[in-house]
């Protein structure tokens, strides 16, 4: 029985090492093609294989620089989402700005500074959408987005600074 378990572990190790190799290659290919979501998905699958193998006491090593490479990929993904949001804001596409920001917050593990940038741009999108809705008489929509903007800075300390600095603060008369 012990030899059977050992043989099964050795087989899992061989297959797991191959899965790690393929996962790293897939992530690198996706990253090179700037498909960062696909690259992160490949790394997530690789990590899942590693966790499951480790649960069976079969470690599957990765290159020593793997944690740094993974962190850098997340960093690039957040920066890309911020750039997409800034472009959408410049074009006054509020939903188009919020989508990459939500993805960055939920999926990419932003750093503290990146998280602050995500919040700031989310606030601009919500506030801009609220201001535009007020101008068009869509008061319920305006209330919804103004409330969402207020929720971003629940303590209220930064909200006045953001309102006065917002390009959407100056309302049309």
């Amino acid at each position: 029985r012990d030899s059977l378990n050992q043989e099964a572990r050795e087989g899992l190790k061989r297959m797991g090492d191959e899965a790690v190799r393929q996962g790293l290659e897939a992530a690198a290919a996706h990253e090179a093609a700037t498909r960062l979501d696909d690259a992160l998905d490949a790394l997530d699958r690789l990590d899942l294989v590693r966790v499951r193998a480790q649960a069976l006491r079969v470690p599957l090593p990765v290159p020593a620089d793997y944690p740094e490479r993974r962190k850098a990929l997340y960093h690039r993904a957040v920066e890309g989402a911020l750039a997409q949001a800034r472009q959408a804001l410049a074009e006054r596409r509020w939903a188009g700005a919020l989508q990459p920001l939500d993805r960055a917050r939920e999926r990419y593990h932003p750093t503290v500074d990146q998280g602050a940038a995500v919040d700031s741009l989310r606030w601009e999108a919500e506030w801009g959408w609220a201001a535009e809705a007020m101008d068009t008489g869509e008061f319920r929509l305006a209330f919804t987005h103004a409330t969402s903007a207020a929720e971003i800075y629940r303590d209220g300390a930064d909200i006045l600074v953001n309102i006065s600095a917002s390009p959407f603060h100056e309302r049309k008369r």
Side-chain angles (χ1 to χ4, degrees):
R1 182 171 167 105
D2 285 342
S3 66
L4 184 60
N5 283 340
Q6 184 59 30
E7 188 177 317
R9 278 195 182 89
E10 288 170 3
L12 177 58
K13 174 78 169 128
R14 279 190 307 278
M15 290 188 318
D17 286 342
E18 179 62 18
V20 166
R21 185 189 65 73
Q22 289 178 4
L24 291 171
E25 286 177 2
H30 290 307
E31 184 177 8
T34 63
R35 294 188 310 266
L36 301 183
D37 279 341
D38 293 336
L40 290 169
D41 287 344
L43 294 182
D44 288 345
R45 286 189 302 274
L46 182 151
D47 288 344
L48 182 59
V49 167
R50 292 181 67 226
V51 165
R52 288 182 173 167
Q54 186 61 48
L56 298 170
R57 294 180 308 231
V58 178
L60 299 176
V62 292
D65 67 342
Y66 177 76
E68 291 79 25
R69 287 173 43 196
R70 185 176 176 78
K71 184 177 178 181
L73 185 57
Y74 274 111
H75 184 81
R76 282 187 52 212
V78 173
E79 292 301 318
L82 292 172
Q84 287 176 349
R86 287 183 187 105
Q87 181 62 41
L89 281 173
E91 297 168 1
R92 301 174 72 90
R93 291 184 298 109
W94 315 120
L98 291 170
Q99 182 184 16
L101 297 172
D102 289 342
R103 191 174 63 245
R105 176 64 74 198
E106 295 167 8
R107 169 97 167 89
Y108 299 152
H109 314 290
T111 64
V112 172
D113 289 342
Q114 287 175 324
V118 166
D119 287 347
S120 179
L121 291 175
R122 277 189 57 72
W123 188 91
E124 280 188 50
E126 295 287 5
W127 187 255
W129 202 340
E132 185 176 278
M134 285 294 291
D135 289 341
T136 59
E138 299 173 87
F139 303 116
R140 190 167 284 162
L141 183 64
F143 178 79
T144 297
H145 289 289
T147 301
S148 294
E151 283 295 313
I152 293 168
Y153 296 108
R154 287 189 188 119
D155 65 3
D158 296 325
I159 200 164
L160 294 177
V161 172
N162 283 336
I163 289 173
S164 63
S166 172
F168 311 110
H169 177 64
E170 293 298 319
R171 303 253 340 267
K172 293 180 257 179
R173 303 269 178 221

